[in-house]
Structures are given as structure tokens and as C-alpha cells.
Amino acid sequence: MSPLRATLLAVLAAVAVAVTAVAAMGTPVPWAVLLSLPAGAAVLLTALFSGAFDADWTPEPDLPAASVCLHASSLTDRLTQAAGDPYRFTSRVQPRLRRLAVSALRRHPDTKDLADLHDPRARDRLGADLHRLLTAPDASLPKPAELAALVRRLEELL
């Protein structure tokens, strides 16, 4: 908030306190002014330092493009977070890998009409271990070498 607006707000608050003290409690005017000064100072400091009244005009971040969502290299930071937390793997990494696998399988002529990964053709094409990693609700992040092999196999489908 600008200093001018903060000062005006503080003066308004101090006047309101002074008027209330005089009208409601019958306080003499000099004492009402003295009582209203701390209230005005508190409002002034709060308005100057809080920043709560400032509008945030920054634009919303752009949504990621399809190439970013489906590209396996964008998963690097998610993998480091998911290494210690299985829930992060099943809620963040696994759905992205699943979309990547479905996209790759739909490019192949045999599985062009594939609805989801629970189709037996998807299991045959992906292999049992990769299919389990992508579809099992209790799947956890495998060791880095094993994950690299599985992602390499997934990239070969692309």
C-alpha cells in the first residue's frame, strides 16, 4: 500500500477511535486524541508493512505443452522427489509414464485402437515388469538402473 493511502487509513482509524471515545464514553477531547494515537500508529504500521492490500497482477504460469508432459526427460525432478516417497511416485510419476506409454502404443499399428493399459495387447507389447510399473496401484520406484532399462524400453516403443 502506498504511504499516502496508509496515512489516510491511519488517520481515519484514529478519528474513529477518538469519536467513539468522546461520544460513547464521554471522554474529554484531549484524552480521546491521546487514546487514538496508538490505534492510528498501529494501523499505519500494519498498512505499510503487511502488503495484504496490494493487488498481485502477475500472470498465471503457462500450462505445459503436450511435448513437455509426454517427454520422459521432464520426469527427472519428479523421480528425485519420488525416490523417498512412494505416494509421489504413484500420484505424479506413474500417471505421466502411463500417458507416455499409451501414446507410444497408439502409434503402433497393432495397438492403434488401444483404450488403456489394462488391454492384454498392452501387457504383451510392454512386458510384464514395465506393465506392472505403469498399472499397479502399489508400484514403487525401482532402482535407478532398472528404471533406466524400463524407460529405455518405453522409449523404443516411441
Side-chain angles (χ1 to χ4, degrees):
M1 177 177 283
S2 71
L4 178 64
R5 288 179 62 195
T7 304
L8 290 175
L9 183 64
V11 168
L12 181 67
V15 168
V17 168
V19 167
T20 303
V22 169
M25 295 183 278
T27 308
V29 175
W31 283 102
V33 171
L34 282 175
L35 286 173
S36 67
L37 290 177
V43 169
L44 177 66
L45 290 175
T46 303
L48 285 176
F49 295 115
S50 71
F53 301 113
D54 292 339
D56 183 16
W57 296 105
T58 57
E60 292 290 324
D62 293 334
L63 294 174
S67 62
V68 174
C69 288
L70 295 176
H71 200 273
S73 66
S74 69
L75 299 173
T76 306
D77 60 336
R78 305 281 187 209
L79 292 174
T80 56
Q81 293 173 350
D85 187 5
Y87 174 74
R88 285 185 187 249
F89 176 74
T90 57
S91 65
R92 294 183 177 182
V93 177
Q94 194 180 36
R96 285 172 173 81
L97 285 173
R98 216 178 290 136
R99 281 192 299 247
L100 186 63
V102 168
S103 172
L105 290 172
R106 286 185 180 158
R107 291 181 187 176
H108 195 271
D110 295 341
T111 54
K112 200 168 223 159
D113 60 339
L114 188 74
D116 63 358
L117 293 177
H118 296 291
D119 191 320
R121 295 176 296 168
R123 182 180 175 92
D124 293 340
R125 189 110 171 90
L126 293 172
D129 49 351
L130 180 57
H131 185 265
R132 177 173 165 28
L133 178 73
L134 297 175
T135 58
D138 63 338
S140 61
L141 187 66
K143 294 182 181 175
E146 185 181 342
L147 180 64
L150 293 173
V151 171
R152 201 171 309 116
R153 188 178 329 148
L154 187 59
E155 286 176 343
E156 289 170 1
L157 294 174
L158 291 171

